[in-house]
């Protein structure tokens, strides 16, 4: 009887803990989504209604903010952001996969030191390397070019991708690779036929994270790209002025610029959740 009472008490405590955690998760999610909803709603208001305090949530809807955004010719900055984000992400995956292979399936000597070195590159503030990067870009003729950002974003995101992919490759059954070697498969065929299909969730999640980091980066894009290779985040800051009302225009531009990231996130949602979950477990 005492045992049954203990089990019932434990089940009741677990159920209450689950309810409390679920409630806390919902509250946290709502707190995160409120600023985004406010931004979207403000984007569909006129400047006068957007500037009111308290906010006029039920004011008449207007698309003047989006009209001002498209009138500013955003196609060039959007293409620059798309080029820098997509090309750098492809470079990161092409470099990270063999590096993760060498650090997991065929580990090199002192591979833990190598992994720590990759991690340590993220310790330094970006602003600390701003002047050297500017001078290198200027002396190599890449200043004001989108390719400067492609190289920098590749270097910035490569350690993250290696860390993510290594956790997947480390858990891959080595017997599968050994069997393929017995059948005569070389490294390239193993990579194409076996490794890439098995780590596809990890590749998808790493690619999406690298794409988002590159798309949202502002400081280096503003310094290295300037006005000739202006990216979308730099273009967005041009709507903030010291005179006049600009809140609706900024929110409309933010919504428009966020759409590619949101579309990519929803398209790869299943792979992202699967990849991050497997990576956490492994």
């Amino acid at each position: 009887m005492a045992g049954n009472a203990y089990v019932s008490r434990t089940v009741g405590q677990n159920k209450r803990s689950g309810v409390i955690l679920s409630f806390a998760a919902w509250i946290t999610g709502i707190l995160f989504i409120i600023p985004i909803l406010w931004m979207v709603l403000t984007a569909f208001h006129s400047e006068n209604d957007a500037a009111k305090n308290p906010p006029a949530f039920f004011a008449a809807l207007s698309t003047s903010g989006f009209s001002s955004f498209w009138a500013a010719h955003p196609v060039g900055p959007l293409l620059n952001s798309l080029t820098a984000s997509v090309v750098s992400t492809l470079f990161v995956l092409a470099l990270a996969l063999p590096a993760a292979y060498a650090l997991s399936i065929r580990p090199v000597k002192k591979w833990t030191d190598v992994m720590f070195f990759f991690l340590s590159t993220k310790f330094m503030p970006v602003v600390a390397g701003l002047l050297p990067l500017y001078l290198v870009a200027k002396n190599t003729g890449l200043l004001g070019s989108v390719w400067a950002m492609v190289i920098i974003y590749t270097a910035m995101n490569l350690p993250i991708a290696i860390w993510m992919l290594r956790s997947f490759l480390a858990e891959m059954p080595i017997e599968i690779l050994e069997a393929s070697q017995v059948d005569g498969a070389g490294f390239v065929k193993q990579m194409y036929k076996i490794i890439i299909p098995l780590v596809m969730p990890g590749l998808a999640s790493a690619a999406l994270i690298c794409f988002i980091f590159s798309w949202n980066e502002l400081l280096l894009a503003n310094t290295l790209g300037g006005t000739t290779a202006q990216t979308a985040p730099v273009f967005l800051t041009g709507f903030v002025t010291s005179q006049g009302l600009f809140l609706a225009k900024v929110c409309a531009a933010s919504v428009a610029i966020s759409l590619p990231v949101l579309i990519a996130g929803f398209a790869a949602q299943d792979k992202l959740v699967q990849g991050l979950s497997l990576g956490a477990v492994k």
Side-chain angles (χ1 to χ4, degrees):
M1 294 295 290
N4 292 336
Y6 175 76
V7 172
S8 300
R9 190 165 57 253
T10 303
V11 171
Q13 290 174 349
N14 292 336
K15 190 176 292 184
R16 283 193 297 274
S17 300
V19 172
I20 293 173
L21 289 176
S22 298
F23 180 75
W26 274 103
I27 294 296
T28 304
I30 291 172
L31 290 177
F32 272 99
I33 204 70
I34 283 177
I36 299 174
L37 291 177
W38 175 84
M39 180 184 71
V40 174
L41 196 58
T42 304
F44 286 97
H45 282 162
S46 65
E47 289 293 357
N48 289 330
D49 291 330
K52 287 182 179 178
N53 189 14
F57 291 117
F58 301 103
L61 299 182
S62 170
T63 58
S64 59
F66 290 96
S67 300
S68 300
F69 170 71
W70 287 110
H73 305 292
V75 176
L78 288 173
L79 287 177
N80 287 334
S81 279
L82 193 63
T83 302
S85 302
V86 172
V87 176
S88 65
T89 299
L90 292 176
F91 282 163
V92 166
L93 295 182
L95 296 172
L97 189 56
Y101 178 91
L103 293 168
S104 55
I105 296 177
R106 310 291 183 195
V108 296
K109 291 182 179 178
K110 297 184 178 180
W111 65 271
T112 54
D113 295 338
V114 177
M115 294 297 291
F116 179 76
F117 170 74
F118 287 144
L119 187 63
S120 66
T121 59
K122 308 303 294 181
F123 295 165
M124 186 178 72
V126 178
V127 69
L130 203 58
L131 180 59
L133 291 174
Y134 175 84
L135 294 175
V136 170
K138 183 179 179 181
N139 292 329
T140 55
L142 292 175
L143 192 64
S145 166
V146 71
W147 296 107
M149 285 170 282
V150 169
I151 296 172
I152 295 301
Y153 293 164
T154 301
M156 285 176 53
N157 294 327
L158 187 58
I160 300 172
I162 292 175
W163 268 88
M164 293 182 68
L165 292 177
R166 187 198 166 275
S167 62
F168 286 88
L169 291 172
E171 296 299 321
M172 179 179 292
I174 195 68
E175 292 80 7
I176 298 177
L177 299 178
E178 291 175 348
S180 65
Q181 288 177 341
V182 172
D183 293 337
F187 172 73
V188 176
K189 194 170 184 179
Q190 280 184 345
M191 189 68 71
Y192 176 69
K193 292 285 187 180
I194 300 173
I195 295 176
I196 291 180
L198 288 178
V199 299
M200 187 55 72
L203 282 173
S205 56
L208 182 60
I209 287 176
C210 293
F211 177 81
I212 292 174
F213 285 173
S214 301
W215 183 273
N216 293 334
E217 201 283 326
L218 172 63
L219 180 61
L220 292 171
N222 191 33
T223 304
L224 303 179
T227 56
T228 55
Q230 194 179 45
T231 61
V234 180
F235 175 78
L236 176 62
T237 60
F239 286 90
V240 180
T241 61
S242 58
Q243 296 178 343
L245 302 175
F246 55 83
L247 198 55
K249 286 186 290 187
V250 170
C251 289
S254 300
V255 171
I257 290 173
S258 301
L259 282 180
V261 174
L262 293 176
I263 293 172
F266 278 112
Q269 186 178 16
D270 294 340
K271 293 291 184 184
L272 178 63
V273 173
Q274 184 183 1
L276 293 178
S277 301
L278 290 176
V281 172
K282 292 172 181 175

